[in-house]
Amino acid sequence: MKSTLIVLFTIIFLPAYAIDKLVTYPAPKGALLNSDFTIKVRQHNSQWNEIPSHLVKVQKVEGLKRFVEDASMCYFDFCGEVEISVTYNKGAVNTAKVRPLANNIKHEIDGNTITFKLNQPRNISVEVNDDIFHNLHLFANPMEEYIPNTKDPDLIYFGAGIHEIANGELKIPSGKTVYVAGGAVLKGRLVVDSAENVKILGRGMICHTVKHGIKISNSKNVLVEGLFATQCSTGGSENVTIRNVKSISYYGWGDGMNVFASNNVLHDGVFCRNSDDCTTVYATRLGYEGGCKNITMQNSVLWADVAHPIFIGIHGNAEEPEIIENLNYVNIDILDHRESQIDYQGCLAINAGDNNLIKKVRFEDIRIENFREGQLFNLRIFYNPKYCKAPGKGIEDVLFKNITYTGGNAELSMIVGYNEERKVKNIRFENLKINGLVISDDMPDKPGFYKTADIARIFIGEHVDNITFVR
């Protein structure tokens, strides 16, 4: 009995740092790196570990011109708590931000070095002197649970190093697991096409020079977890999970995580910084046919250098109308939205075209930071002949719950129907907070002749029924 008590005492009273872990990955020889920052990480005042700063590219729009800028990216795995040191090698650090701001990560500046701590996995941006185009994208991953068995005949293994994919594309057969280890860089796309029971796992990256790095097409039961790529799309597929995947694109049509004509798709803990829409849900499009249902994005960070953070509904089959339904966007931070074209604005945008009926959409616990240019909300049934053959059929049953915006750049939001047969209806705003002010139908001091939407700077157009604002 005495020895048993001693064992129990040891287990219960072990110090917290005994279970802390930190895994870093060196860059392979020949990897594309960026020297703007020197990044180090450690646990409990132990020795610093320097980690490589990989080169990634982002798109910058100035006026009518677009430019490609060099930014930085680093990653590691941990549990417990880590201290991070980021040294800016290009000059003095006058100001620094660690975003999303909602994480409330406290930082200190000493000369040209920024230090802060993390006590849980985060996908964050470190920005010096308000420069968002040459920032550091820091991906602090959870520890991996999957341990690859390199003798497994169903495993396709890429260890640390640079791997040239033959013909620029690896098509993954059914039943296979692809593992891309930390410190591995693939030069080629990963494609799941007409397959099922496929996994793509690891901590490595697909080089930023590879456009549309991960593509899931006409497949079932697919899991993608942990990797970096320019894009990760899903079309004509069912039962797809995309978890802790990071997407940064810089070229035209660089949508992050499209969903076309698919059902039961989950994006969990993803990071999207894109040169077009961060995430979309469309019906028939690009050879994929059918509507969409049961699509969820949660616990994620979105940054649209161009177009929308979230965009739903413009594409479908006008000859055989389709339904897009049961969409959920929960616990999301939107870091930026920059779009000059009025037709393509909206952090949270539902634009019904091609006779699509869009219903049962939930936006909940979404924090929108002070984006550069665009609208908060854009709900429209419209006919855009550039992309559509007909206006949408309707938008209905949409919930905006616990949406916050802090900033001064939001333009006039829009909610507009098309005609009496093609309406926007049953839209509920619950605890909408703009710069600290809760917008509700019973808010004090609102003049009786004001629409509640006027306070939120939302234009309510024709053919719109049953919009409510509640606390």
Side-chain angles (χ1 to χ4, degrees):
M1 178 63 71
K2 183 177 180 180
S3 60
T4 303
L5 289 174
I6 291 173
V7 172
L8 288 173
F9 181 89
T10 303
I11 294 172
I12 294 170
F13 291 95
L14 275 173
Y17 58 78
I19 61 171
D20 287 3
K21 293 182 181 179
L22 172 64
V23 179
T24 62
Y25 304 98
K29 183 178 179 180
L32 300 175
L33 303 177
N34 191 333
S35 62
D36 287 356
F37 298 95
T38 299
I39 307 109
K40 299 177 181 179
V41 61
R42 67 179 179 180
Q43 290 188 309
H44 300 288
N45 297 317
S46 61
Q47 184 176 350
W48 286 105
N49 295 274
E50 184 171 341
I51 56 178
S53 177
H54 294 271
L55 174 67
V56 294
K57 293 182 180 290
V58 299
Q59 187 171 113
K60 178 181 180 180
V61 178
E62 288 187 346
L64 300 178
K65 295 184 178 181
R66 300 188 178 195
F67 305 89
V68 175
E69 303 291 333
D70 292 348
S72 303
M73 183 273 283
C74 68
Y75 63 95
F76 58 88
D77 304 346
F78 82 106
C79 64
E81 183 178 82
V82 290
E83 183 179 9
I84 298 164
S85 165
V86 178
T87 299
Y88 182 57
N89 297 322
K90 296 175 67 177
V93 177
N94 300 315
T95 63
K97 292 179 182 177
V98 181
R99 299 199 297 151
L101 297 176
N103 292 340
N104 196 29
I105 298 171
K106 306 297 183 184
H107 66 272
E108 296 182 357
I109 300 173
D110 184 4
N112 64 338
T113 297
I114 306 153
T115 56
F116 55 92
K117 294 181 179 180
L118 296 178
N119 57 16
Q120 66 184 87
R122 298 283 192 188
N123 294 325
I124 61 177
S125 169
V126 181
E127 300 156 15
V128 173
N129 302 335
D130 294 320
D131 186 348
I132 62 173
F133 296 107
H134 307 93
N135 62 312
L136 171 65
H137 305 83
L138 189 150
F139 303 133
N141 298 300
M143 299 298 298
E144 284 192 277
E145 296 181 2
Y146 176 78
I147 300 174
N149 176 7
T150 56
K151 296 182 179 180
D152 183 351
D154 289 324
L155 177 69
I156 302 171
Y157 181 83
F158 294 96
I162 295 179
H163 303 269
E164 298 278 353
I165 305 298
N167 301 315
E169 181 176 292
L170 173 63
K171 185 175 179 180
I172 305 167
S174 293
K176 297 293 184 179
T177 295
V178 173
Y179 183 80
V180 184
V185 179
L186 303 189
K187 292 192 173 180
R189 291 199 298 169
L190 297 178
V191 177
V192 185
D193 185 13
S194 303
E196 59 184 47
N197 303 320
V198 170
K199 296 179 181 179
I200 302 173
L201 309 173
R203 289 292 184 265
M205 58 187 293
I206 299 174
C207 186
H208 75 264
T209 59
V210 179
K211 296 181 179 181
H212 206 158
I214 301 172
K215 183 178 181 181
I216 303 164
S217 177
N218 300 316
S219 296
K220 295 180 180 179
N221 305 327
V222 178
L223 169 64
V224 184
E225 184 169 359
L227 274 66
F228 170 90
T230 49
Q231 296 172 270
C232 182
S233 68
T234 301
S237 298
E238 292 188 6
N239 304 328
V240 175
T241 297
I242 299 169
R243 179 173 289 118
N244 191 27
V245 172
K246 302 89 176 177
S247 163
I248 300 178
S249 59
Y250 56 91
Y251 43 82
W253 311 105
D255 290 14
M257 298 190 182
N258 296 112
V259 177
F260 309 102
S262 296
N263 301 321
N264 307 321
V265 179
L266 170 65
H267 298 91
D268 184 18
V270 302
F271 179 99
C272 294
R273 180 177 185 178
N274 300 110
S275 51
D276 211 314
D277 305 310
C278 292
T279 181
T280 68
V281 178
Y282 302 141
T284 292
R285 174 71 168 163
L286 299 178
Y288 305 114
E289 297 181 355
C292 281
K293 65 179 179 181
N294 305 332
I295 313 297
T296 295
M297 175 173 280
Q298 63 188 21
N299 310 320
S300 297
V301 180
L302 306 180
W303 179 333
D305 281 317
V306 183
H308 311 82
I310 298 173
F311 189 38
I312 301 165
I314 188 174
H315 301 295
N317 185 343
E319 286 73 33
E320 298 181 15
E322 295 163 332
I323 297 175
I324 297 174
E325 64 180 326
N326 195 21
L327 312 184
N328 300 279
Y329 300 87
V330 182
N331 192 30
I332 293 173
D333 289 280
I334 294 178
L335 303 192
D336 204 1
H337 167 42
R338 200 283 184 193
E339 179 54 71
S340 296
Q341 298 179 86
I342 304 301
D343 272 351
Y344 306 105
Q345 291 185 346
C347 287
L348 312 178
I350 305 176
N351 290 174
D354 278 342
N355 280 320
N356 286 329
L357 173 61
I358 303 166
K359 63 181 184 177
K360 297 180 182 177
V361 183
R362 175 172 63 124
F363 300 96
E364 184 170 354
D365 296 330
I366 298 181
R367 299 159 293 276
I368 304 172
E369 298 191 15
N370 191 22
F371 53 80
R372 284 172 287 159
E373 184 177 15
Q375 302 169 23
L376 288 174
F377 312 105
N378 191 294
L379 277 64
R380 288 184 298 151
I381 298 170
F382 75 144
Y383 175 46
N384 182 337
K386 185 175 181 180
Y387 295 113
C388 301
K389 294 182 178 180
K393 196 171 184 179
I395 298 172
E396 58 188 51
D397 302 326
V398 181
L399 172 65
F400 296 93
K401 183 177 180 180
N402 301 333
I403 311 298
T404 64
Y405 169 63
T406 304
N409 293 331
E411 299 180 19
L412 185 67
S413 293
M414 303 275 184
I415 301 179
V416 184
Y418 192 81
N419 59 28
E420 282 300 303
E421 288 72 43
R422 300 171 184 268
K423 288 187 172 184
V424 177
K425 60 184 180 181
N426 304 332
I427 312 300
R428 178 182 175 91
F429 291 89
E430 184 174 327
N431 193 33
L432 169 63
K433 188 179 293 185
I434 298 178
N435 292 318
L437 178 65
V438 177
I439 311 295
S440 66
D441 291 329
D442 65 350
M443 62 192 304
D445 302 323
K446 179 178 72 67
F449 50 87
Y450 271 50
K451 297 177 182 176
T452 307
D454 295 338
I455 309 299
R457 301 295 297 156
I458 302 173
F459 171 72
I460 307 297
E462 296 180 338
H463 314 298
V464 177
D465 289 345
N466 192 28
I467 294 187
T468 57
F469 294 80
V470 300
R471 294 180 180 275

